[in-house]
Amino acid sequence: MKVSVLRRLGVTGTAGCLALSLVACQSEGQRTAATPRDRPSHASAHGSFARKMDASMRAMMEAMAVPRTGDADQDFAAMMMPHHQAAVDMAKAVLEHGKDPVLRRLAHEIIVTQQQEIGVLRSRVPSRVPVKPPPGARPSPREPIREGEESSAHGAGTGADGVIPISSQDRVYTSDQTSNTVSVIDPAANRLLGTIRLGDPVPGALSPLYRNQLLVHGGGFSPDHKTLAVVSIGSNSVSLIDTETNKVKGVVYVGRSPHETFFTPDGRELWATVRGEDYVSVIDPVKMTEKRRVTTANGPGMVLFRPDGRYAFVPSSFTPEVDVVDTRTYRVVARVPQASPFSPNLAVSRDGTEVWFTLKDSGKTQVMSARPPFRILSTIDSGPITNHVTLVDNAKGKFGYVTVGGENLVKVYRRGRTPTLAATIRTGDLPHGIWVSGDGTRVYVGLENQDAVIAVDTLENKVIATIPVGQQPQQLLYVPRAVTSGTGTANLQPLGVAGQAGHLTLRAPKGSGGRAHATVSVNALGALDLLQVAATGLEPGKDYTLWLTENRTAPFGRKEALTMFTTNVAGAQVSQAIGLLREVLTPPEPAKSAARERFLIITPKGGDVPLAVQDRYTPMPFPPGPSPDPAPAAGR
């Protein structure tokens, strides 16, 4: 493009120089464009890249050819917005076609920073026409909502589509990762009704002939509350379950290690984050097939939608950014920096103004605007092993409830311009999933290392019930009016072997001045046992060993290393071990067994000084005889 063209368009001075620099970037980008693996040839990939670069330039020049107002601020903002948008579009083209890791990282930074700057520019000139959408983007015919309008539906993540009083028609579901079950609770009675068994426990689940689900972990539900979608990480699957009958309607297999899933507000699509890759799988829930993929930052952790359905919010588990996806175009329109990479969970406010997301590695919770320019509003130091969050609106105000696994607490923050801590609720071992009831008067919390769920009265912030569930509950969902007729107990199975568990606590030795603390669950896996330790209060980034010893204090006698782990930046970590552990961790009855009691301790790697020592246990019950073969898993 020549300078004479710029003059004809009325673009001069700094803006003209910026435009010329973009042309230079375009030419250089065309010379260095790489062929992606899914393109048939270098020539076709080069052509696609060139067309996108040309289109971004044309869109920029059209948008910059605006009449001058004589107001320096107005004219500067009016021309800089399309300039920045062109840079964003070019950066996205490089991410799609380029291979150079340095340039790809630079492209990520351009997208994040320049979109934020566009938001600032737009906020300074609200009367100006907004930046044009990327070339080829068309509004979806099913999405007539204009920016700034909100539907009357409540946001996914609140657990409600209106104020729905708690009743026996409601259900609470937990995805139980170790027993491969879904536990079903009646919140009106705070009673476990039974489990939906999606698979077998280890080691049976490791057979080459195994056909059922493995590592049942995430979940979501449809807007009509009649379909539960359950993600299994190990079997790369999403199981669709009828909430009335508890039957599996079908299974959709997606990419490597999916993590969470949720329905769009209109119920037409089910989006599943494929955390082991770099995309969200968009599923047709009627045909039960994947219909398309939305490319995101590596390791998408969860997806929820703004109540009007316009945007999807996808935090990452491996890249420090939250991606905002325009559901009309299926394109990432904003990349908002996270304070650290590992975000497992988020919630969206009912009024569509806020997104809260958790950072498990750094122990933080961040609040982001749900409207352009999608900026971070607040960062909270919530605590080690910050897990899940739910947003609550009730008679006392608006709150964010955050599970902090390393402190065995739910922390309650009053929402506002600067969130403030309003209450702390002691929960039990390793709180994980959390969801609010349909009327905002309760939240339910899954205790991963206690194999239980607690019910919390949000008006008093008190625990009112503890309910046993399957092994190591992860995601928890509250679904109002999931059952509209009958008892809703058909096809449920008892806990069975999933109810066999032991729970222990490790603390810093008395007088040591240390802060180390750990909770441990020991779950039956048939002939074997799974031990999971959640440790906190250690030095960040250091290596530690969990030992099985004969004595709590030195000399420890025989020592067996069970698992080694490296703490995260918050000085915490969760680690697992598999073995024959029940007998040695349960004090024997002398008349029945000669086995000696054993203990757990944590030491630094290569060290002998214990930082945490076992001080409490709940014995695991032994089955009276050989365990019978389990009933068939649902969907077999």
Short mmCIF file of all heavy atoms in Angstrom, two decimals, residues 316-352:
data_model
loop_
_atom_site.label_atom_id
_atom_site.label_comp_id
_atom_site.label_asym_id
_atom_site.label_seq_id
_atom_site.Cartn_x
_atom_site.Cartn_y
_atom_site.Cartn_z
N SER A 316 -7.87 -21.24 31.71
CA SER A 316 -6.91 -22.26 31.30
C SER A 316 -6.24 -22.92 32.50
O SER A 316 -6.07 -22.29 33.55
CB SER A 316 -5.84 -21.65 30.40
OG SER A 316 -4.81 -22.58 30.14
N SER A 317 -5.85 -24.17 32.31
CA SER A 317 -5.10 -24.89 33.33
C SER A 317 -3.59 -24.81 33.11
O SER A 317 -2.83 -25.15 34.02
CB SER A 317 -5.53 -26.36 33.35
OG SER A 317 -6.89 -26.49 33.67
N PHE A 318 -3.15 -24.41 31.93
CA PHE A 318 -1.72 -24.40 31.62
C PHE A 318 -1.22 -23.06 31.11
O PHE A 318 -0.02 -22.82 31.07
CB PHE A 318 -1.40 -25.47 30.57
CG PHE A 318 -1.85 -26.85 30.96
CD1 PHE A 318 -2.63 -27.61 30.11
CD2 PHE A 318 -1.51 -27.39 32.18
CE1 PHE A 318 -3.06 -28.87 30.46
CE2 PHE A 318 -1.92 -28.66 32.55
CZ PHE A 318 -2.70 -29.41 31.69
N THR A 319 -2.10 -22.18 30.69
CA THR A 319 -1.74 -20.88 30.14
C THR A 319 -2.40 -19.80 30.99
O THR A 319 -3.59 -19.91 31.28
CB THR A 319 -2.21 -20.75 28.68
OG1 THR A 319 -1.68 -21.85 27.92
CG2 THR A 319 -1.75 -19.45 28.07
N PRO A 320 -1.68 -18.76 31.40
CA PRO A 320 -2.29 -17.76 32.30
C PRO A 320 -3.21 -16.81 31.59
O PRO A 320 -2.94 -15.61 31.48
CB PRO A 320 -1.06 -17.05 32.89
CG PRO A 320 -0.02 -17.17 31.83
CD PRO A 320 -0.24 -18.51 31.18
N GLU A 321 -4.35 -17.32 31.10
CA GLU A 321 -5.33 -16.44 30.47
C GLU A 321 -6.71 -17.06 30.50
O GLU A 321 -6.87 -18.28 30.48
CB GLU A 321 -4.95 -16.12 29.02
CG GLU A 321 -5.09 -17.28 28.05
CD GLU A 321 -4.76 -16.89 26.62
OE1 GLU A 321 -3.77 -16.17 26.42
OE2 GLU A 321 -5.50 -17.31 25.70
N VAL A 322 -7.72 -16.20 30.57
CA VAL A 322 -9.12 -16.58 30.38
C VAL A 322 -9.51 -16.15 28.98
O VAL A 322 -9.33 -14.99 28.61
CB VAL A 322 -10.04 -15.90 31.41
CG1 VAL A 322 -11.50 -16.29 31.14
CG2 VAL A 322 -9.65 -16.27 32.83
N ASP A 323 -10.03 -17.09 28.19
CA ASP A 323 -10.49 -16.76 26.85
C ASP A 323 -11.98 -16.46 26.88
O ASP A 323 -12.76 -17.19 27.50
CB ASP A 323 -10.22 -17.91 25.89
CG ASP A 323 -8.74 -18.06 25.58
OD1 ASP A 323 -7.96 -17.15 25.94
OD2 ASP A 323 -8.35 -19.07 24.98
N VAL A 324 -12.36 -15.38 26.19
CA VAL A 324 -13.77 -15.03 26.02
C VAL A 324 -14.15 -15.36 24.59
O VAL A 324 -13.54 -14.86 23.64
CB VAL A 324 -14.02 -13.54 26.31
CG1 VAL A 324 -15.50 -13.22 26.17
CG2 VAL A 324 -13.52 -13.17 27.71
N VAL A 325 -15.15 -16.23 24.41
CA VAL A 325 -15.56 -16.71 23.10
C VAL A 325 -16.91 -16.09 22.73
O VAL A 325 -17.86 -16.16 23.52
CB VAL A 325 -15.66 -18.24 23.06
CG1 VAL A 325 -16.09 -18.72 21.68
CG2 VAL A 325 -14.33 -18.88 23.46
N ASP A 326 -16.98 -15.49 21.55
CA ASP A 326 -18.25 -15.00 21.02
C ASP A 326 -19.01 -16.22 20.49
O ASP A 326 -18.56 -16.87 19.54
CB ASP A 326 -18.00 -13.99 19.89
CG ASP A 326 -19.28 -13.32 19.42
OD1 ASP A 326 -20.35 -13.96 19.43
OD2 ASP A 326 -19.22 -12.14 19.01
N THR A 327 -20.15 -16.54 21.10
CA THR A 327 -20.87 -17.75 20.72
C THR A 327 -21.54 -17.65 19.36
O THR A 327 -21.99 -18.66 18.81
CB THR A 327 -21.93 -18.10 21.78
OG1 THR A 327 -22.83 -16.98 21.94
CG2 THR A 327 -21.27 -18.40 23.12
N ARG A 328 -21.60 -16.44 18.79
CA ARG A 328 -22.17 -16.29 17.45
C ARG A 328 -21.16 -16.68 16.38
O ARG A 328 -21.54 -17.20 15.32
CB ARG A 328 -22.62 -14.85 17.22
CG ARG A 328 -23.65 -14.35 18.23
CD ARG A 328 -23.93 -12.87 18.04
NE ARG A 328 -22.70 -12.09 18.12
CZ ARG A 328 -22.65 -10.78 17.93
NH1 ARG A 328 -23.76 -10.11 17.65
NH2 ARG A 328 -21.51 -10.14 18.02
N THR A 329 -19.89 -16.42 16.64
CA THR A 329 -18.84 -16.69 15.65
C THR A 329 -17.92 -17.82 16.05
O THR A 329 -17.11 -18.27 15.24
CB THR A 329 -18.00 -15.43 15.43
OG1 THR A 329 -17.33 -15.10 16.67
CG2 THR A 329 -18.86 -14.25 15.01
N TYR A 330 -18.01 -18.28 17.30
CA TYR A 330 -17.13 -19.32 17.85
C TYR A 330 -15.66 -18.89 17.80
O TYR A 330 -14.77 -19.72 17.67
CB TYR A 330 -17.30 -20.64 17.09
CG TYR A 330 -18.71 -21.19 17.16
CD1 TYR A 330 -19.61 -20.97 16.12
CD2 TYR A 330 -19.16 -21.91 18.25
CE1 TYR A 330 -20.92 -21.46 16.17
CE2 TYR A 330 -20.45 -22.42 18.32
CZ TYR A 330 -21.32 -22.18 17.27
OH TYR A 330 -22.60 -22.67 17.33
N ARG A 331 -15.42 -17.61 17.97
CA ARG A 331 -14.06 -17.10 17.94
C ARG A 331 -13.72 -16.45 19.28
O ARG A 331 -14.58 -15.84 19.92
CB ARG A 331 -13.87 -16.08 16.81
CG ARG A 331 -14.08 -16.67 15.43
CD ARG A 331 -13.79 -15.65 14.34
NE ARG A 331 -12.39 -15.23 14.35
CZ ARG A 331 -11.87 -14.38 13.46
NH1 ARG A 331 -12.65 -13.87 12.51
NH2 ARG A 331 -10.59 -14.05 13.52
N VAL A 332 -12.46 -16.61 19.68
CA VAL A 332 -11.98 -15.95 20.88
C VAL A 332 -11.86 -14.45 20.59
O VAL A 332 -11.14 -14.05 19.67
CB VAL A 332 -10.62 -16.51 21.32
CG1 VAL A 332 -10.07 -15.72 22.51
CG2 VAL A 332 -10.75 -17.99 21.70
N VAL A 333 -12.59 -13.64 21.36
CA VAL A 333 -12.59 -12.20 21.12
C VAL A 333 -11.82 -11.44 22.20
O VAL A 333 -11.61 -10.23 22.07
CB VAL A 333 -14.03 -11.66 21.02
CG1 VAL A 333 -14.73 -12.24 19.80
CG2 VAL A 333 -14.83 -11.95 22.30
N ALA A 334 -11.42 -12.13 23.26
CA ALA A 334 -10.62 -11.48 24.30
C ALA A 334 -9.81 -12.55 25.02
O ALA A 334 -10.30 -13.66 25.24
CB ALA A 334 -11.49 -10.71 25.28
N ARG A 335 -8.60 -12.19 25.38
CA ARG A 335 -7.73 -13.06 26.17
C ARG A 335 -7.30 -12.25 27.39
O ARG A 335 -6.49 -11.34 27.28
CB ARG A 335 -6.53 -13.52 25.34
CG ARG A 335 -6.93 -14.34 24.11
CD ARG A 335 -5.71 -14.75 23.29
NE ARG A 335 -6.11 -15.39 22.05
CZ ARG A 335 -6.34 -16.68 21.90
NH1 ARG A 335 -6.20 -17.49 22.93
NH2 ARG A 335 -6.70 -17.18 20.72
N VAL A 336 -7.86 -12.59 28.53
CA VAL A 336 -7.65 -11.82 29.75
C VAL A 336 -6.60 -12.53 30.61
O VAL A 336 -6.76 -13.72 30.91
CB VAL A 336 -8.96 -11.67 30.54
CG1 VAL A 336 -8.75 -10.82 31.79
CG2 VAL A 336 -10.05 -11.07 29.64
N PRO A 337 -5.53 -11.85 31.02
CA PRO A 337 -4.48 -12.51 31.81
C PRO A 337 -4.99 -13.02 33.15
O PRO A 337 -5.71 -12.32 33.86
CB PRO A 337 -3.43 -11.40 32.00
CG PRO A 337 -3.72 -10.40 30.93
CD PRO A 337 -5.20 -10.44 30.71
N GLN A 338 -4.63 -14.26 33.48
CA GLN A 338 -4.82 -14.81 34.82
C GLN A 338 -3.57 -14.53 35.64
O GLN A 338 -2.47 -14.42 35.10
CB GLN A 338 -5.03 -16.34 34.76
CG GLN A 338 -6.24 -16.78 33.99
CD GLN A 338 -6.30 -18.30 33.81
OE1 GLN A 338 -7.19 -18.79 33.14
NE2 GLN A 338 -5.34 -19.06 34.35
N ALA A 339 -3.72 -14.48 36.96
CA ALA A 339 -2.57 -14.23 37.82
C ALA A 339 -1.60 -15.40 37.83
O ALA A 339 -0.42 -15.23 38.13
CB ALA A 339 -3.04 -13.92 39.24
N SER A 340 -2.08 -16.60 37.50
CA SER A 340 -1.23 -17.80 37.41
C SER A 340 -1.93 -18.78 36.48
O SER A 340 -3.11 -18.62 36.14
CB SER A 340 -1.00 -18.40 38.80
OG SER A 340 -2.22 -18.81 39.39
N PRO A 341 -1.25 -19.83 36.04
CA PRO A 341 -1.82 -20.66 34.97
C PRO A 341 -3.00 -21.56 35.36
O PRO A 341 -3.89 -21.77 34.55
CB PRO A 341 -0.63 -21.54 34.55
CG PRO A 341 0.57 -20.82 35.00
CD PRO A 341 0.18 -20.12 36.26
N PHE A 342 -3.04 -22.10 36.58
CA PHE A 342 -3.93 -23.23 36.87
C PHE A 342 -5.28 -22.76 37.38
O PHE A 342 -5.47 -22.55 38.57
CB PHE A 342 -3.26 -24.16 37.87
CG PHE A 342 -4.00 -25.45 38.12
CD1 PHE A 342 -5.12 -25.82 37.39
CD2 PHE A 342 -3.56 -26.33 39.10
CE1 PHE A 342 -5.79 -27.00 37.62
CE2 PHE A 342 -4.22 -27.53 39.35
CZ PHE A 342 -5.34 -27.85 38.61
N SER A 343 -6.26 -22.62 36.47
CA SER A 343 -7.62 -22.27 36.87
C SER A 343 -8.55 -23.44 36.58
O SER A 343 -8.78 -23.79 35.42
CB SER A 343 -8.11 -21.04 36.11
OG SER A 343 -9.46 -20.77 36.47
N PRO A 344 -9.13 -24.06 37.62
CA PRO A 344 -10.01 -25.21 37.40
C PRO A 344 -11.49 -24.88 37.34
O PRO A 344 -12.29 -25.73 36.95
CB PRO A 344 -9.72 -26.08 38.63
CG PRO A 344 -9.46 -25.07 39.72
CD PRO A 344 -8.79 -23.89 39.04
N ASN A 345 -11.91 -23.67 37.74
CA ASN A 345 -13.34 -23.45 37.96
C ASN A 345 -13.69 -21.97 37.88
O ASN A 345 -12.86 -21.11 38.17
CB ASN A 345 -13.72 -23.99 39.35
CG ASN A 345 -15.22 -24.00 39.58
OD1 ASN A 345 -15.75 -23.15 40.29
ND2 ASN A 345 -15.93 -24.95 39.00
N LEU A 346 -14.93 -21.69 37.48
CA LEU A 346 -15.43 -20.31 37.47
C LEU A 346 -16.93 -20.29 37.66
O LEU A 346 -17.60 -21.33 37.57
CB LEU A 346 -15.07 -19.61 36.15
CG LEU A 346 -15.89 -19.94 34.89
CD1 LEU A 346 -15.87 -18.79 33.92
CD2 LEU A 346 -15.34 -21.18 34.22
N ALA A 347 -17.45 -19.10 37.93
CA ALA A 347 -18.89 -18.89 38.08
C ALA A 347 -19.23 -17.53 37.47
O ALA A 347 -18.40 -16.62 37.47
CB ALA A 347 -19.30 -18.93 39.55
N VAL A 348 -20.46 -17.41 36.96
CA VAL A 348 -20.93 -16.18 36.32
C VAL A 348 -22.12 -15.65 37.11
O VAL A 348 -23.01 -16.41 37.51
CB VAL A 348 -21.35 -16.44 34.85
CG1 VAL A 348 -21.75 -15.14 34.17
CG2 VAL A 348 -20.22 -17.12 34.08
N SER A 349 -22.15 -14.35 37.35
CA SER A 349 -23.22 -13.77 38.15
C SER A 349 -24.55 -13.79 37.41
O SER A 349 -24.61 -13.79 36.18
CB SER A 349 -22.87 -12.33 38.55
OG SER A 349 -22.77 -11.50 37.42
N ARG A 350 -25.63 -13.77 38.15
CA ARG A 350 -26.98 -13.83 37.58
C ARG A 350 -27.28 -12.63 36.69
O ARG A 350 -28.02 -12.74 35.71
CB ARG A 350 -28.01 -13.89 38.71
CG ARG A 350 -28.01 -15.20 39.45
CD ARG A 350 -28.79 -15.14 40.75
NE ARG A 350 -30.10 -14.50 40.61
CZ ARG A 350 -31.08 -14.63 41.50
NH1 ARG A 350 -30.89 -15.38 42.57
NH2 ARG A 350 -32.21 -14.03 41.34
N ASP A 351 -26.70 -11.47 37.03
CA ASP A 351 -26.97 -10.27 36.23
C ASP A 351 -26.02 -10.14 35.04
O ASP A 351 -26.09 -9.16 34.31
CB ASP A 351 -26.92 -9.02 37.11
CG ASP A 351 -25.55 -8.81 37.76
OD1 ASP A 351 -24.60 -9.56 37.43
OD2 ASP A 351 -25.43 -7.90 38.60
N GLY A 352 -25.14 -11.10 34.86
CA GLY A 352 -24.26 -11.08 33.69
C GLY A 352 -23.18 -10.02 33.73
O GLY A 352 -22.68 -9.61 32.68
#
